[in-house]
Amino acid sequence: MTTAPSGTLANPNAARDHARSMAGTVVEAMPVLPPAAPDLPEGVASEALLWEETIAPGGYATRRLPRGSRLRLIDVKGDACASLQIFNAEMPTERYSFADTVKIQWNAYLAKGKFLLSDMGRVLMSIAEDTTGGTHDTFSGTSNAHTNGAKYGDGRNSGQFPNGRDRFLLGAAKHGLQRRDIHAAVTLFKGARIADDGAIEPQIGPFEPGREVVLRAEMDVIVVIANVPHVLDPRPDYIVTPLRATAWRGPVAGEDDPIRTATPEGLRAFLNVEDYYRR
């Protein structure tokens, strides 16, 4: 982020000239417009690209993605923490459900081949690729102003240590949603396991740079991403590194898709999606 030279705030013309002089400036964390990526998977045309952005430490981003699109998230430097809110774009009262995701899959640990279920029994997104070793968290949720204030001394959105819940609020507001719409988050790249005594054991890293997850949108979705430290990160400092997001158009799951057909419960959830779009 660049800082305006002294005196420009008192002089609108100088402020305008400074702002215009920044055109073309490229920084590490920013959306690429129009979207362009040098490393799209084989067979994906550049015209299919929908979104290319690097999300800053402590930052957030959001997009509406069409059914069938792929969202690739890359932990660029090994310490990103992607907490997600996911909504049915047509009817945002339908959104990601931790309880249904765990219950329908008989499993709380996400990896390739698993999916993220809505509170209406439909698959919002599935995990098409995953090189993280399963370091994800369906249990803990994200930080809020109180947790960050207690740990770092400040948790405001406008402060030095912004929290996940308020970052979600900013992203959701861009789609006309409010604080009441913020729901339980799923977190990627930072994991949590349940010990024998029932305690949550966080898997914080740091990890090898370049790990990635590819999510496939099974419905038209709104995705809000907060890249903030895991709420159970034991480190005393506010540590998080950039997160890269790339999305492109792709085909919807076919009848023989291995994620769709892996279990009878999962098949039913995909059939619920197909019934929804049959209207």
Side-chain angles (χ1 to χ4, degrees), residues 165-188:
R165 187 168 179 83
D166 284 343
R167 284 313 198 207
F168 283 153
L169 179 60
L170 291 179
K174 295 182 184 300
H175 304 278
L177 304 174
Q178 305 175 42
R179 186 173 294 275
R180 68 186 181 188
D181 297 301
I182 305 306
H183 53 281
V186 60
T187 297
L188 308 180

Side-chain angles (χ1 to χ4, degrees), residues 242-261:
L243 173 73
R244 183 181 168 200
T246 308
W248 59 88
R249 294 182 183 87
V252 301
E255 290 188 358
D256 60 349
D257 180 80
I259 301 178
R260 181 182 183 274
T261 59

Side-chain angles (χ1 to χ4, degrees), residues 5-265:
S6 176
T8 59
L9 296 180
N11 182 336
N13 290 332
R16 177 201 61 198
D17 293 342
H18 170 72
R20 289 179 177 177
S21 73
M22 294 296 101
T25 300
V26 177
V27 298
E28 180 180 44
M30 63 181 294
V32 177
L33 299 175
D39 57 350
L40 289 174
E42 185 177 355
V44 176
S46 59
E47 293 79 12
L49 193 61
L50 297 168
W51 181 21
E52 175 64 38
E53 180 170 355
T54 297
I55 306 168
Y60 76 97
T62 181
R63 282 293 188 280
R64 177 172 174 153
L65 298 175
R67 185 182 182 205
S69 61
R70 273 60 168 176
L71 170 61
R72 181 181 65 190
L73 300 175
I74 300 178
D75 180 3
V76 179
K77 296 183 178 180
D79 234 331
C81 183
S83 290
L84 275 65
Q85 301 266 282
I86 309 172
F87 303 85
N88 173 352
E90 291 185 345
M91 185 176 64
T93 50
E94 180 180 6
R95 67 278 308 265
Y96 165 74
S97 167
F98 151 73
D100 288 302
T101 294
V102 170
K103 177 178 66 177
I104 295 303
Q105 298 181 95
W106 308 97
N107 191 335
Y109 301 121
L110 299 176
K112 180 179 177 178
K114 302 299 183 183
F115 47 78
L116 305 174
L117 217 68
S118 81
D119 53 6
M120 295 188 181
R122 294 188 275 257
V123 185
L124 291 167
M125 306 188 85
S126 58
I127 302 177
E129 302 292 340
D130 184 359
T131 68
T132 70
T135 49
H136 309 307
D137 182 5
T138 59
F139 303 109
S140 308
T142 192
S143 57
N144 56 48
H146 175 75
T147 60
N148 277 22
K151 186 170 185 179
Y152 307 116
D154 184 13
R156 297 170 300 152
N157 245 330
S158 58
Q160 193 174 359
F161 311 109
N163 69 85
R165 187 168 179 83
D166 284 343
R167 284 313 198 207
F168 283 153
L169 179 60
L170 291 179
K174 295 182 184 300
H175 304 278
L177 304 174
Q178 305 175 42
R179 186 173 294 275
R180 68 186 181 188
D181 297 301
I182 305 306
H183 53 281
V186 60
T187 297
L188 308 180
F189 299 108
K190 300 292 187 185
R193 296 273 164 171
I194 303 300
D196 291 341
D197 63 0
I200 297 179
E201 297 179 341
Q203 299 172 305
I204 300 302
F207 301 96
E208 287 294 318
R211 300 181 308 148
E212 66 179 63
V213 177
V214 178
L215 301 171
R216 182 178 65 199
E218 309 298 355
M219 304 182 69
D220 293 345
V221 294
I222 293 168
V223 178
V224 184
I225 306 171
N227 184 29
V228 299
H230 192 282
V231 68
L232 297 181
D233 192 327
R235 296 173 291 185
D237 297 323
Y238 189 93
I239 300 174
V240 63
T241 54
L243 173 73
R244 183 181 168 200
T246 308
W248 59 88
R249 294 182 183 87
V252 301
E255 290 188 358
D256 60 349
D257 180 80
I259 301 178
R260 181 182 183 274
T261 59
T263 67
E265 297 89 352

